[in-house]
Amino acid sequence: MKDELSEQIEKAASLIREGKLVAFPTETVYGLGANALDPMAVARIFDLKERPSFDPLIVHIADISVLRRLCVLQDDRAEILASRFWPGPLTMVLEKKSIVPDIVSAGLSTVGVRMPDHPVALELILRSGCPIAAPSANKFGEVSPTHADHVKRNLPGVDMVLDGGGTSVGIESTIIKLTDNGFVLLRPGAILPEDIAIYVPQDHSYYLDGVDAPGMMKSHYSTRKPLFLETPGICQKMDCSNAGYLSFDSVPSDPYKKVLRLTKNGDAREYAVNLFAGMHELDRADVAFIVAEPVPEVGIGVAIMDRLRKAAYRHDNSSL
Ligand code: TXA
Ligand code: MG
């Protein structure tokens, strides 16, 4: 690691130890981190994000053995999944131990834990000497940041932003909860249920209620400008010459004011990497609204459409 970056990480680690907030890169999106074992520090995350206190945080660790310090493991399934998918974009919701403050889990008996696949994040956690609680580093309900600039612009009150460049996955981690019969998918992401099911079966019979997934709002990831999912004839209903377009694999025939081609060859993983940056860019551009091209709902396309539907929800209930 370069000396300058290493110095930055050292400074960030000492801020975390002092109870301050540091935005840091992960492979998914930038996180807004605080010492997960310090309730006062964690409270500052909720304040700065304007996040409702019922929405729990994910705890980031850099060593699998820490999982046992934070969680009650009934059997070896969590560790099997951890050894297969960590570091990586998989969050596991598990029974928490009392060492995890209630504010982190929003009062639930469970806590979400993951090990990010990013050298800067891992080094920060190790040097801080504590697990780091971190939601995405954006105001509640807004688009997640995939570049340090997004954080600096939209969350200016943060004590420090560690710049690790653009993130490599681009959308938030897959979240699962382990039940008696297998796993339940709480949030789709880059790690697919079918990949997890090789090790632990998917539990389709479990009834998910609001208590299991408190942060799963219908509206989320919202741009400030209205965002619509493209539907046939949309530009007959609205004046697209004043709109921005997020393109998956087509060049639109409608006359949009600004077109962002997020992937050159219809590669959904590349679309995911560039999606939030595209949303941030069009939000700042001189356009009145944003239209996003839907992607096929297979593989990571499921997670992309989840984010796009939530971004469009306030403006376009027909996209449900
Ligand atoms: O990729 C990611 O997961 C990023 C990076 C920074 O790691 N983090 C992230 O955090 O997306 P956030 O706060 O934006 O989303 C966390 C969501 C919560 O809204 C909630 O839905 C779910 O994780 N969650 C966390 N703990 C939970 C728990 N104990 N039970 C159920 N859901 C939980
Ligand atoms: Mg978030």
Side-chain angles (χ1 to χ4, degrees):
M1 201 164 286
K2 286 210 193 82
D3 284 354
E4 200 187 321
L5 183 55
S6 180
E7 267 172 36
Q8 291 286 305
I9 296 173
E10 194 52 50
K11 187 175 151 205
S14 66
L15 287 171
I16 293 278
R17 287 192 297 268
E18 287 165 26
K20 301 275 175 37
L21 303 185
V22 173
F24 63 99
T26 79
E27 80 282 34
T28 57
V29 300
Y30 275 70
L32 177 63
N35 178 350
L37 306 182
D38 175 351
M40 294 300 287
V42 174
R44 295 196 59 223
I45 295 181
F46 285 87
D47 280 350
L48 187 65
K49 266 191 76 108
E50 296 168 25
R51 181 180 177 106
S53 56
F54 61 76
D55 192 0
L57 305 180
I58 294 172
V59 175
H60 297 70
I61 62 176
D63 180 338
I64 289 191
S65 67
V66 176
L67 193 55
R68 280 192 175 273
R69 273 185 61 213
L70 303 178
C71 303
V72 183
L73 305 181
Q74 320 277 15
D75 48 51
D76 57 3
R77 294 176 304 165
E79 283 166 325
I80 290 172
L81 293 177
S83 60
R84 169 61 188 84
F85 293 106
W86 286 356
L90 177 70
T91 296
M92 287 190 272
V93 171
L94 300 160
E95 277 309 304
K96 80 174 188 71
K97 287 188 174 166
S98 57
I99 185 178
V100 179
D102 288 337
I103 188 171
V104 172
S105 62
L108 298 176
S109 65
T110 55
V111 61
V113 185
R114 84 177 192 98
M115 187 192 294
D117 186 13
H118 196 295
V120 172
L122 293 173
E123 193 64 28
L124 175 67
I125 298 164
L126 287 173
R127 292 208 213 166
S128 300
C130 58
I132 295 185
S136 51
N138 51 278
K139 290 265 185 204
F140 179 71
E142 295 190 351
V143 182
S144 298
T146 52
H147 292 261
D149 269 2
H150 298 156
V151 185
K152 289 177 189 157
R153 204 175 286 120
N154 297 316
L155 213 55
V158 60
D159 296 308
M160 180 177 177
V161 181
L162 260 179
D163 191 343
T167 62
S168 62
V169 173
I171 51 175
E172 303 82 355
S173 60
T174 304
I175 305 181
I176 61 167
K177 180 185 173 89
L178 287 183
T179 65
D180 290 344
N181 301 322
F183 78 88
V184 180
L185 185 66
L186 299 185
R187 178 174 73 184
I191 292 181
L192 308 179
E194 48 267 43
D195 298 333
I196 302 167
I198 296 171
Y199 305 91
V200 172
Q202 188 162 4
D203 179 357
H204 291 286
S205 64
Y206 189 84
Y207 177 73
L208 263 186
D209 62 20
V211 178
D212 289 307
M216 300 294 148
M217 322 292 167
K218 283 187 171 155
S219 171
H220 211 131
Y221 317 105
S222 304
T223 44
R224 290 173 189 175
K225 296 197 177 134
L227 182 144
F228 302 93
L229 270 172
E230 188 181 27
T231 47
I234 190 169
C235 295
Q236 268 111 61
K237 290 180 235 143
M238 292 188 290
D239 178 10
C240 292
S241 66
N242 206 8
Y245 185 76
L246 294 172
S247 148
F248 174 51
D249 67 353
S250 70
V251 178
S253 50
D254 294 307
Y256 284 95
K257 186 164 188 184
K258 190 172 171 93
V259 174
L260 294 185
R261 225 167 154 190
L262 301 185
T263 162
K264 294 279 177 295
N265 50 4
D267 176 347
R269 286 194 177 263
E270 196 183 0
Y271 191 85
V273 173
N274 296 320
L275 177 62
F276 289 156
M279 288 164 69
H280 280 287
E281 185 177 339
L282 289 182
D283 229 2
R284 290 197 311 277
D286 183 22
V287 296
F289 61 96
I290 301 165
V291 176
E293 184 179 3
V295 306
E297 275 184 272
V298 289
I300 198 172
V302 174
I304 293 172
M305 288 305 289
D306 167 70
R307 306 311 191 268
L308 284 177
R309 283 202 183 92
K310 287 177 175 164
Y313 183 78
R314 281 196 291 172
H315 310 290
D316 182 9
N317 285 343
S318 65
S319 67
L320 267 181

